[in-house]
Amino acid sequence: MRTRSSASTEEDDSDDTAVPEPRLPDDDGRKRSFTSAKYDVTRHSVTLDRRKGDKGPPTSPTLQNAWTVPTASSEKQKEVSELLIPSSLKDTMANHWSHQRSRVQSPWRCSLLTLATTATAMLFFFAIIHSFFTRQLDPKGCNNCMMMPAYAKLPGFDTEHTRFASKYSLYLYREGQIDEDTMVKGVPVLFIPGNAGSYKQVRPIAAEAAHYFHNDVQSNADAIRAGTRNLDFFTVDFNEDITAFHGQTLLDQAEYLNEATAYILSLYHDPRRSRRDPGLPDPSSVILVGHSMGGVVARTMLTMPNYQSNSINTIITMSAPHARAPVSFDSDIVHTYERINTYWRQAYSQKWANNNPLWHVTLISIAGGGLDTVVPSDYACLSSLVPDTHGFTVFTSTVPNVWTGADHLSILWCDQFRKVIVRSLIEAVDVHRPSQTKPRAERMRIFKRWFLTGLESVAEKTLPQKEPTTLLTLEDNSNAIIGLGERLVLRGFGEAGRANAHLIPVPPQGPPGGQKFTLLSDQPLDPTGAGGKMEVLFCSIFPLQAGQSAALLSMNIDLSGTSSGSTRLACKNAASDVIHLPASTRTSKYSFDDSPPFSYLQYNLEDLAEHQFVAVVDKMRIPSNGWVVAEFSENARSVIHTGAGLRKLLAWGLRITLPADRPLVMDIKIPALLSSLLAYKLSIGTQVCGEDAELFTPLLRQYLSEPYESKYFVNVKEANINLHGIAPFMPPLLRGHAIGDGVSLQLWTDPTCNTSVSLSLKVDVPGSMGKLHMRYRTVFAAFPLVIVALVLRKQFRVHDETGVFMSFAESLDLCLRSSLPLLFIAMSLLAMSLATMSAAPARASSFGLFGWRGNATESAVDFTKNDLLLGSSDPFFWFLVPLYGLVCAGICVLVNYAALAITSVLCLVYSTLTARPAWIKNDDRRRATVPAFPPTSPRRRIIITLLLLLLVSTLIPYQFAYMVACIVQIATCTRALRFAQETRSGTHYNFYNYAHSILILMLWVLPINIPVLVVWIHNLTVHWLTPFSSHHNVLSIMPFLILVETLTGGKMIPRVTSRLKYITSSLSFALAIYAAVYGVTYAYLLHHFVNFVCAWLVVCHFSSSNLSLKGLIQIVMEGGSGDEGGEDEGGKKRP
């Protein structure tokens, strides 16, 4: 009689693997199975407990009866079967048996289909990575800055004020040689560092503020009287907390900052700490400047219970992911984002200002663009959160005199950009008000003037609101007036030997938007009274007498000479509306080159209704270099609308020829260019223009109207066009309509060349592949689980039908032939359907029962409609689903073989360290009786599991226990592989394949748990031991632990032959569907879904066991073996 170890399962007793039952011919020609003929050709045995159970009376079917156990074969039955089986059938069975064994025992097996799939996947993957690092790259133009930082810690902000005093600290920044004391005397500004950021990151902006006020503003008496003061920069040391991965940490920081804000404001009330003018009101609000996740924390502060009303009214953020969480691995971060964004949207949806708690708040979001490879700049967009009256999103490449992108860190120290930040903040300050800032509408005008180009439709012109300040006197017989509709071109200044004025008549008013005035020069435009080369004045006839002019107009420009007759014009200076453009000459290379910018003016004809002339005043008396081009042009000639769709652009590109008599500036609007997933190549033909005659080389501006993104290309011949328009997973606009204008190309060319210019635009397919990297990085945490779930589904189905648990590689090969292509075809169709519905306009909705409340014409905006699948709102991108499915399939193959390699190496080390008895290698008859590996004590396994669960419920997060489970599973696979290789048993290979597949599943869930684990370890390093309640749910880890501990005993999952086997198949399929549809947006739920699958596998394991609660208690208390008892080698029962 054959015996087995107490830890072996029913399958372990066989040295061969179960195969489909051969069938013998009946007398009538039909075939019958050996089992139906009472012949058993297998040598399975059952456990002692099973045999005990078989002796009892039959019972009603239970869940346990769903798992079949092969019946034991006697020696007599085996002899009879050998006599009855024909020799030819024996040979067939032997060949089939050999094929089955080789299939089971080859986990490294790789088919040509798998190899081709992996090669294709890696080709696409490396093409994406190569494109990301080498193609469509924005140039870097930030200059370095210098500072002399000093940080004064504020120890008074202790545990009496906040419960986080032992973890976080508050500092006051002081610039060396300027601010030597720690007294507060200006306007409070609080800097909030981002994810793993340092409080010292405040130094570039704070140093520039100190130098600018000390060198420029302090001596300006008008600015001081207007309420301008220096800025007191406070900064917070969060000990480099990781907020991007953990929602509770984000909430803790927001709570601490609200308490810090109250403490900062209290400093200005204390005469011992403040040097402010006693006549000024005490500050009641603090300006916030946030970097990265610090910007999100700043918005969170206004939603917290401890927020002091009106203590924050100005927020400037840099590279902050406002629209959605950077990763969705933590449930708290996802729910926190949802709560914050819902609060802001609901606040700005209120009809009356009194009901809006954020009415006084202005929020400016500044993005670095394509150079930011940490956070996609698309996420910085505020279009779904804040209306234009309270905030906007702008890119650093848009900001005048910056004109360069910035990466995630350089946006803080970029010298050009920090100057703009500081000047805008100081201009927005007004210490005469308790809020310390100007009113909201005025703050918005200031920020738009500093951060926007001035060419946007929302840009305000100051000329219509001005009063005339300059009296321009000309001689009557002056020939300086050019003809109506002609262009003014000056190729130099001072050629007349005296000051001279060139008058351009303003055309009569026509339909709105009919004409516009444009002027471009390489010289700065002087304000009133300045001593430069030129002024641009908008004039009307002055009707009063000469004797009254001095009292009414502050500036007099008399160009009449000795002439007795003269014409007097009352003029407004246009210098305040000048728009700076990067210089474009033959030597220009980048827009941020260190060269004086061009000066540009642009007015609609309606803005000049009260004027008759535009006067370009040449103030030079000696010849000087410089040029000016000015003209009135019709918008119909200067704007080109292209109707080409995206598919036509992909197929044929776009070619446009600009006529020779074109206006100074041309605007080409391409509505089809909306997606941030595509990049383009633009080529501009060379103008045939003489070397001496050319005033400037072509200057191109690529821009979007929402968000405010502009890029300049100087001396342009070829340009890389990429944008941050409609991006995956982004919520729709707050106003409920989509971006309609697309990309526009604004081109300034020298009109004096009088030659046509050709433009060619085509899609850059290799360059577009790199754009997928930033938008779809988190896909690699979700889509591989689609592959793994289907592979497991196939493995369990084959195991339940044949008893063979095939290898992961073989199952993946079968899935690649059937289920995976069908699934991704279905997902592609679903993606097209979702994109079509997302692009459809929102339908009118009403609120309340039967629509009694609300306006029936209001449109409800679904801000989650782009959360599913790959988040695209354009059906054109349906192919991304199978593309990423293919790439993830290839990655799963590599991960599988990497895990095989690791376990093989560990197995080799394990075999070297532990010697096996010689009889195992030589006694072939005993190979099948060797258990998977010597089991550990059930008592020890139960105690370890309970101890881990106890620690999870009190001290450690369940993510730590999950990592421990992964390590234990690796050890289990190593031991299983060693015994499978030594015994060459199909049963042992079955168990190894099963354990290996569970390991692959757990490895793909591990990245979802690592970020929270990193946060917990970081908190330990800073001695912060407060547990996070959301990560101590023992049910989130219990099935994983029980399953892993069960596998440490070498116990193979039993076969399921009843209808219950469809539960395993359904759960695996549901996991695949969920990972594909919701996995990117709600990745944290993948852990819980897999956890539920593991719970079902645990049920499958214990359903074939007679272990009861009483038995468990007995094992723990007495160290019994429970149901794992068996017979010893002598055939006697073990006590």
Side-chain angles (χ1 to χ4, degrees), residues 264-288:
I264 290 171
L265 294 176
S266 69
L267 297 179
Y268 292 84
H269 303 166
D270 187 354
R272 296 170 300 177
R273 302 297 306 272
S274 175
R275 292 178 54 186
R276 283 170 56 94
D277 186 348
L280 297 176
D282 292 328
S284 62
S285 68
V286 174
I287 298 173
L288 299 182

Short mmCIF file of all heavy atoms in Angstrom, two decimals, residues 264-288:
data_model
loop_
_atom_site.label_atom_id
_atom_site.label_comp_id
_atom_site.label_asym_id
_atom_site.label_seq_id
_atom_site.Cartn_x
_atom_site.Cartn_y
_atom_site.Cartn_z
N ILE A 264 0.45 83.26 11.90
CA ILE A 264 1.15 84.32 11.16
C ILE A 264 0.42 85.65 11.30
O ILE A 264 1.05 86.69 11.53
CB ILE A 264 1.29 83.91 9.69
CG1 ILE A 264 2.29 82.75 9.55
CG2 ILE A 264 1.74 85.09 8.83
CD1 ILE A 264 2.33 82.14 8.17
N LEU A 265 -0.89 85.63 11.16
CA LEU A 265 -1.66 86.87 11.29
C LEU A 265 -1.56 87.43 12.71
O LEU A 265 -1.56 88.66 12.90
CB LEU A 265 -3.12 86.62 10.93
CG LEU A 265 -3.38 86.25 9.46
CD1 LEU A 265 -4.85 85.93 9.23
CD2 LEU A 265 -2.96 87.40 8.54
N SER A 266 -1.43 86.54 13.69
CA SER A 266 -1.30 87.03 15.07
C SER A 266 0.02 87.75 15.30
O SER A 266 0.12 88.62 16.19
CB SER A 266 -1.45 85.86 16.05
OG SER A 266 -0.34 84.98 15.97
N LEU A 267 1.05 87.42 14.52
CA LEU A 267 2.34 88.10 14.67
C LEU A 267 2.22 89.59 14.36
O LEU A 267 2.93 90.42 14.96
CB LEU A 267 3.39 87.46 13.76
CG LEU A 267 3.75 85.99 14.04
CD1 LEU A 267 4.77 85.51 13.02
CD2 LEU A 267 4.30 85.83 15.46
N TYR A 268 1.37 89.94 13.42
CA TYR A 268 1.22 91.34 13.03
C TYR A 268 0.42 92.12 14.05
O TYR A 268 0.41 93.36 14.02
CB TYR A 268 0.56 91.43 11.65
CG TYR A 268 1.45 90.93 10.54
CD1 TYR A 268 1.52 89.58 10.23
CD2 TYR A 268 2.24 91.81 9.81
CE1 TYR A 268 2.34 89.11 9.22
CE2 TYR A 268 3.06 91.36 8.79
CZ TYR A 268 3.12 90.00 8.50
OH TYR A 268 3.94 89.56 7.50
N HIS A 269 -0.25 91.41 14.96
CA HIS A 269 -0.98 92.10 16.03
C HIS A 269 -0.11 92.33 17.26
O HIS A 269 -0.49 93.10 18.15
CB HIS A 269 -2.21 91.27 16.46
CG HIS A 269 -3.14 90.98 15.31
ND1 HIS A 269 -4.14 90.03 15.39
CD2 HIS A 269 -3.23 91.52 14.07
CE1 HIS A 269 -4.79 89.99 14.25
NE2 HIS A 269 -4.25 90.88 13.43
N ASP A 270 1.03 91.69 17.29
CA ASP A 270 1.92 91.77 18.45
C ASP A 270 2.97 92.86 18.21
O ASP A 270 3.82 92.71 17.31
CB ASP A 270 2.60 90.41 18.67
CG ASP A 270 3.41 90.37 19.96
OD1 ASP A 270 3.54 91.41 20.62
OD2 ASP A 270 3.93 89.28 20.28
N PRO A 271 2.95 93.94 18.94
CA PRO A 271 3.93 95.01 18.71
C PRO A 271 5.37 94.57 18.96
O PRO A 271 6.30 95.20 18.46
CB PRO A 271 3.49 96.10 19.70
CG PRO A 271 2.67 95.39 20.73
CD PRO A 271 2.01 94.25 20.04
N ARG A 272 5.57 93.47 19.69
CA ARG A 272 6.92 93.00 19.93
C ARG A 272 7.50 92.28 18.71
O ARG A 272 8.71 92.14 18.59
CB ARG A 272 6.94 92.05 21.13
CG ARG A 272 6.54 92.70 22.45
CD ARG A 272 6.35 91.65 23.52
NE ARG A 272 5.30 90.68 23.15
CZ ARG A 272 4.97 89.62 23.88
NH1 ARG A 272 5.63 89.37 25.01
NH2 ARG A 272 4.00 88.82 23.49
N ARG A 273 6.64 91.86 17.81
CA ARG A 273 7.10 91.14 16.63
C ARG A 273 6.89 91.91 15.33
O ARG A 273 7.36 91.48 14.28
CB ARG A 273 6.35 89.79 16.52
CG ARG A 273 6.51 88.87 17.72
CD ARG A 273 7.96 88.46 17.91
NE ARG A 273 8.52 87.89 16.72
CZ ARG A 273 8.46 86.61 16.39
NH1 ARG A 273 7.85 85.77 17.21
NH2 ARG A 273 9.01 86.16 15.27
N SER A 274 6.17 93.01 15.39
CA SER A 274 5.80 93.73 14.17
C SER A 274 6.40 95.13 14.15
O SER A 274 6.46 95.81 15.17
CB SER A 274 4.27 93.82 14.06
OG SER A 274 3.90 94.61 12.96
N ARG A 275 6.83 95.58 12.96
CA ARG A 275 7.33 96.93 12.75
C ARG A 275 6.50 97.68 11.73
O ARG A 275 6.97 98.57 11.06
CB ARG A 275 8.79 96.87 12.28
CG ARG A 275 9.75 96.37 13.35
CD ARG A 275 11.17 96.27 12.81
NE ARG A 275 11.62 97.52 12.22
CZ ARG A 275 12.77 97.68 11.57
NH1 ARG A 275 13.58 96.64 11.43
NH2 ARG A 275 13.12 98.84 11.06
N ARG A 276 5.26 97.31 11.60
CA ARG A 276 4.37 97.97 10.67
C ARG A 276 3.92 99.31 11.22
O ARG A 276 3.92 99.56 12.43
CB ARG A 276 3.14 97.09 10.40
CG ARG A 276 3.41 95.94 9.44
CD ARG A 276 2.25 94.98 9.41
NE ARG A 276 1.01 95.61 9.06
CZ ARG A 276 0.50 95.68 7.82
NH1 ARG A 276 1.18 95.13 6.84
NH2 ARG A 276 -0.65 96.26 7.59
N ASP A 277 3.48 100.16 10.30
CA ASP A 277 2.94 101.47 10.67
C ASP A 277 1.68 101.26 11.51
O ASP A 277 0.75 100.57 11.08
CB ASP A 277 2.60 102.25 9.40
CG ASP A 277 2.17 103.68 9.71
OD1 ASP A 277 1.92 103.99 10.89
OD2 ASP A 277 2.07 104.47 8.76
N PRO A 278 1.62 101.83 12.71
CA PRO A 278 0.44 101.62 13.57
C PRO A 278 -0.85 102.13 12.92
O PRO A 278 -1.94 101.67 13.28
CB PRO A 278 0.77 102.41 14.83
CG PRO A 278 2.24 102.56 14.83
CD PRO A 278 2.66 102.61 13.39
N GLY A 279 -0.74 103.03 11.98
CA GLY A 279 -1.94 103.55 11.34
C GLY A 279 -2.53 102.63 10.30
O GLY A 279 -3.66 102.86 9.82
N LEU A 280 -1.83 101.59 9.94
CA LEU A 280 -2.34 100.65 8.94
C LEU A 280 -3.18 99.57 9.61
O LEU A 280 -2.93 99.18 10.75
CB LEU A 280 -1.17 99.99 8.20
CG LEU A 280 -0.28 100.92 7.38
CD1 LEU A 280 0.89 100.13 6.79
CD2 LEU A 280 -1.08 101.59 6.27
N PRO A 281 -4.17 99.06 8.91
CA PRO A 281 -5.00 97.98 9.48
C PRO A 281 -4.20 96.70 9.61
O PRO A 281 -3.27 96.44 8.83
CB PRO A 281 -6.15 97.85 8.48
CG PRO A 281 -5.59 98.36 7.20
CD PRO A 281 -4.63 99.46 7.57
N ASP A 282 -4.53 95.91 10.63
CA ASP A 282 -3.86 94.62 10.80
C ASP A 282 -4.25 93.67 9.67
O ASP A 282 -5.42 93.66 9.24
CB ASP A 282 -4.25 94.00 12.14
CG ASP A 282 -3.69 94.79 13.31
OD1 ASP A 282 -2.60 95.37 13.16
OD2 ASP A 282 -4.35 94.82 14.37
N PRO A 283 -3.31 92.91 9.18
CA PRO A 283 -3.64 91.97 8.09
C PRO A 283 -4.68 90.95 8.53
O PRO A 283 -4.65 90.44 9.66
CB PRO A 283 -2.30 91.31 7.78
CG PRO A 283 -1.26 92.23 8.33
CD PRO A 283 -1.88 92.87 9.52
N SER A 284 -5.58 90.65 7.62
CA SER A 284 -6.60 89.63 7.88
C SER A 284 -6.51 88.46 6.92
O SER A 284 -7.29 87.51 7.01
CB SER A 284 -8.01 90.25 7.78
OG SER A 284 -8.24 90.74 6.47
N SER A 285 -5.57 88.50 5.98
CA SER A 285 -5.43 87.40 5.02
C SER A 285 -3.97 87.23 4.65
O SER A 285 -3.15 88.14 4.83
CB SER A 285 -6.27 87.65 3.76
OG SER A 285 -5.74 88.73 3.03
N VAL A 286 -3.67 86.07 4.12
CA VAL A 286 -2.32 85.69 3.73
C VAL A 286 -2.34 85.27 2.26
O VAL A 286 -3.27 84.59 1.82
CB VAL A 286 -1.79 84.54 4.60
CG1 VAL A 286 -0.44 84.05 4.11
CG2 VAL A 286 -1.69 84.97 6.06
N ILE A 287 -1.33 85.68 1.52
CA ILE A 287 -1.17 85.25 0.13
C ILE A 287 -0.49 83.88 0.14
O ILE A 287 0.49 83.68 0.85
CB ILE A 287 -0.34 86.26 -0.67
CG1 ILE A 287 -1.05 87.61 -0.72
CG2 ILE A 287 -0.08 85.76 -2.09
CD1 ILE A 287 -0.22 88.71 -1.34
N LEU A 288 -0.99 82.95 -0.66
CA LEU A 288 -0.43 81.62 -0.74
C LEU A 288 0.28 81.43 -2.07
O LEU A 288 -0.24 81.78 -3.13
CB LEU A 288 -1.51 80.55 -0.59
CG LEU A 288 -2.31 80.54 0.71
CD1 LEU A 288 -3.30 79.38 0.71
CD2 LEU A 288 -1.39 80.46 1.92
#
